[in-house]
Amino acid sequence: MIDLKSLIREVPDFPKPGINFFDITTLLKDPEGWKATIDALKARYEGIQVDVVVGVEARGFFFAPAIAYALGAGFVPVRKPGKLPAETETIEYALEYGTDKLQVHKDAIKPGMRVLVIDDVLATGGTASAVAQLIERLGGQVLGLGFLIELDFLNGKAKLEGREVYSVLHY
């Protein structure tokens, strides 16, 4: 098994002093690392009926379409406001300082659809929780939330209590 952590570059003090940023671009460019990442996420959800895989802007777009393809499911993007051309459903959620919004096309998630959420990092859990709420507001069933990286020290799982969460790597 390839050591995926060795393929992730840690950048200190980015985007601001005191933050240690886990740069996944070094993993993405490595063919073996990229394949091992997709294989690990696919293996967790194989055998589960998934209608669509939701990817969260922006880095979730790296992983979610590949997982959707591997599982034989569709892909649905969740984006920042103003990026989707048709009628959208919007959720506003709290950040450490202020709020943010995410949107999905209203017709992308139909009642009863079985939805898997895939993103790059689970940090505080705010974004992931908002995406799950957005899917459920449209009548979708969130089967689970999958991540490449989970920052355990930020306890993001607490905001996702009662939900199935899987992370390939833990820091």
Side-chain angles (χ1 to χ4, degrees), residues 3-165:
D3 178 13
L4 294 177
K5 282 187 175 182
S6 71
L7 298 175
I8 297 172
R9 175 175 39 207
E10 294 185 41
V11 181
D13 299 320
F14 183 83
K16 62 183 184 178
I19 301 292
N20 191 35
F21 186 82
F22 295 96
D23 178 12
I24 62 171
T25 62
T26 48
L27 179 145
L28 295 173
K29 73 177 183 176
D30 184 275
E32 289 181 35
W34 170 242
K35 183 177 183 328
T37 299
I38 298 307
D39 288 349
L41 286 165
K42 175 188 171 193
R44 173 62 189 91
Y45 300 105
E46 230 170 5
I48 298 172
Q49 181 196 341
V50 176
D51 296 316
V52 294
V53 177
V54 164
V56 184
E57 187 170 344
R59 291 184 303 265
F61 291 177
F62 297 146
F63 303 101
I67 299 306
Y69 176 80
L71 296 175
F75 167 69
V76 172
V78 169
R79 306 224 40 203
K80 295 175 182 171
K83 303 281 186 169
L84 295 171
E87 189 177 4
T88 59
E89 183 74 23
T90 302
I91 190 162
E92 184 171 356
Y93 62 103
L95 298 171
E96 188 175 352
Y97 299 104
T99 61
D100 206 351
K101 293 180 183 178
L102 291 169
Q103 295 182 323
V104 66
H105 279 136
K106 280 191 175 182
D107 62 358
I109 307 292
K110 296 188 180 355
M113 283 185 101
R114 298 170 56 83
V115 181
L116 176 61
V117 178
I118 298 290
D119 205 356
D120 65 328
V121 175
L122 173 57
T124 63
T127 301
S129 177
V131 170
Q133 291 172 49
L134 189 59
I135 292 163
E136 291 169 345
R137 189 185 296 166
L138 292 171
Q141 175 189 356
V142 178
L143 301 173
L145 298 101
F147 305 90
L148 169 60
I149 296 171
E150 183 172 339
L151 303 177
D152 296 327
F153 61 93
L154 293 175
N155 198 26
K157 272 189 179 175
K159 286 190 180 159
L160 301 172
E161 194 170 328
R163 299 187 184 280
E164 193 280 326
V165 175

